[in-house]
Amino acid sequence: MTERLLVRALKGGENTKIVTLNGKKITKMPSTLDKLPGLKTLDLQNNQIPKVGPEISTLTQLIVLNLGNNLLEEIPEEMKYLTSLKKLHLFGNKICKFASEACDGLQNLILLNLNNNQLTWIPQEVSRLKSLTYLSINHNQLASVPKGLCFLKNLSELQLNYNQLICIPEEIKFLKKLRKLLLVRNNIEVLPEGLCDLINLRILDIAGNFIQTFPSGFQNLKLKEFYCEGNALFLKQPVNAVQQEDAWSLQEITSRFIMNELAGKNPFIMHVIEQHPQVRNIISQGRKCAICGRCFITVWLECVEFVPPPKNWKISRNLQLVPLRILICSYKCFNQRGPNVFGIAQV
């Protein structure tokens, strides 16, 4: 049956646009593909293909390639020759290698589905997929998100459910067109401040992680749907605590002075700091106090502010208050806090 279909396709020659060989128990890529240069769609899912062969390199007009549910172990360099490809389905394989060179020619790729594989990393070169709009890497073993992924300026949907992610890079703020972000069942403890810059984000699902608070400004996102069940969110359950005296290190005192002088545009400090790169590196880690607005280095007091979720969010049923992470520079400022701001206590 498979041979008969291929013969029919070969008779069409350059006029053959679609080849579908689903579930035919094929154990290798058909060697005759190089005789079908006009092919637009190649569907080989649900077979037993272990490797993408060199014959794929002739399919420069291919738009859709489906190799889902096969036995592939890598995304090979030969993929770069598919310069017209828009949709690539590689779900349900055993892929654990991603050749960085594969990204070189896939400038028109819009959709990439890598669900249910064994990937532990994604190359930084993924940033070359300039047209990518939809990326799904659910049910893999990713431990981190490459910063390069955060420069896919056309990315609208990113799915990273059921991986082993610990954190999300601050550079996610550059995904200005992102509308849907799914991070279900990972090991994420903290969401980056940059998440609050995603002005087009409409759906966020972080269920089943280890998140306790959200970055300041999180409540200003224009979300339509937000799901966070299965996280250890801080609860508004005040307890009394002993207040300690402020005791800053000499570096902290000096850094605070320099940063606040720079904020006031002191010309002498601005000139001198240029000659001390080590100091510049230290103060580049500075934060602003949520109460007084002055700069500091050491997180003196981590607090949480409880705010109600926006009424237009579709949210997890048990979410009544959103705990926002805020930083305060001293107990003096802590004593000037608002009624919904609390220090984080170990009880």
Side-chain angles (χ1 to χ4, degrees), residues 19-292:
V19 170
T20 301
L21 296 170
N22 294 340
K24 303 298 181 184
K25 299 182 180 179
I26 299 172
T27 57
K28 65 177 181 177
M29 296 283 288
S31 59
T32 53
L33 288 176
D34 58 0
K35 297 180 174 60
L36 301 171
L39 202 61
K40 301 290 186 183
T41 299
L42 177 58
D43 195 340
L44 296 171
Q45 71 170 318
N46 299 323
N47 283 292
Q48 299 169 20
I49 300 171
K51 184 179 180 182
V52 174
E55 56 276 352
I56 200 82
S57 62
T58 62
L59 304 180
T60 56
Q61 296 185 42
L62 196 66
I63 294 175
V64 179
L65 175 58
N66 190 340
L67 283 165
N69 293 330
N70 275 279
L71 302 174
L72 302 178
E73 295 184 0
E74 68 172 334
I75 302 175
E77 180 180 351
E78 284 81 4
M79 288 289 187
K80 69 182 181 182
Y81 298 109
L82 305 179
T83 52
S84 299
L85 199 65
K86 292 186 176 181
K87 296 182 179 181
L88 177 56
H89 298 277
L90 296 171
F91 58 86
N93 281 278
K94 299 180 178 181
I95 297 171
C96 58
K97 298 178 182 178
F98 191 144
S100 58
E101 298 84 358
C103 300
D104 290 344
L106 300 177
Q107 300 300 305
N108 292 303
L109 193 66
I110 294 173
L111 179 150
L112 177 57
N113 186 337
L114 290 166
N115 293 343
N116 294 287
N117 278 287
Q118 299 172 16
L119 287 165
T120 58
W121 60 277
I122 297 292
Q124 293 287 351
E125 288 77 6
V126 71
S127 62
R128 298 174 187 171
L129 306 178
K130 298 298 185 182
S131 300
L132 200 63
T133 302
Y134 175 97
L135 176 59
S136 187
I137 321 178
N138 298 329
H139 292 276
N140 276 266
Q141 300 169 25
L142 296 179
S144 63
V145 177
K147 292 181 180 180
L149 189 152
C150 298
F151 295 97
L152 296 172
K153 62 180 182 179
N154 288 306
L155 198 63
S156 173
E157 181 169 338
L158 177 59
Q159 297 191 23
L160 297 170
N161 299 327
Y162 292 90
N163 279 281
Q164 299 173 16
L165 301 175
I166 298 173
C167 62
I168 302 298
E170 184 66 33
E171 287 78 5
I172 197 170
K173 64 186 178 183
F174 296 117
L175 295 176
K176 297 299 185 182
K177 292 186 178 181
L178 195 65
R179 296 183 63 85
K180 185 174 183 179
L181 177 59
L182 307 183
L183 299 167
V184 176
R185 296 290 177 185
N186 279 281
N187 300 316
I188 300 168
E189 297 181 359
V190 178
L191 292 174
E193 301 284 338
L195 187 73
C196 301
D197 294 336
L198 300 180
I199 57 175
N200 287 304
L201 192 64
R202 296 296 178 265
I203 300 175
L204 175 62
D205 194 341
I206 56 166
N209 282 279
F210 297 97
I211 294 166
Q212 295 181 312
T213 62
F214 300 102
S216 180
F218 181 80
Q219 76 279 18
N220 297 323
L221 287 170
K222 306 299 182 182
L223 297 176
K224 291 183 178 179
E225 299 180 30
F226 173 53
Y227 307 103
C228 62
E229 54 266 56
N231 282 280
L233 297 180
F234 280 131
L235 302 176
K236 189 177 180 180
Q237 297 176 343
V239 297
N240 292 322
V242 177
Q243 188 171 126
Q244 300 175 350
E245 294 294 325
D246 291 335
W248 302 339
S249 68
L250 182 60
Q251 177 176 292
E252 182 70 19
I253 294 171
T254 306
S255 297
R256 291 189 182 203
F257 172 78
I258 292 172
M259 288 187 294
N260 289 310
E261 287 297 307
L262 288 173
K265 300 191 182 298
N266 182 313
F268 175 74
I269 297 294
M270 293 174 71
H271 173 71
V272 172
I273 203 71
E274 292 298 321
Q275 304 172 34
H276 296 276
Q278 186 176 1
V279 176
R280 290 205 310 271
N281 182 56
I282 292 173
I283 64 175
S284 68
Q285 303 169 36
R287 314 283 188 93
K288 277 192 175 182
C289 175
I291 304 298
C292 70

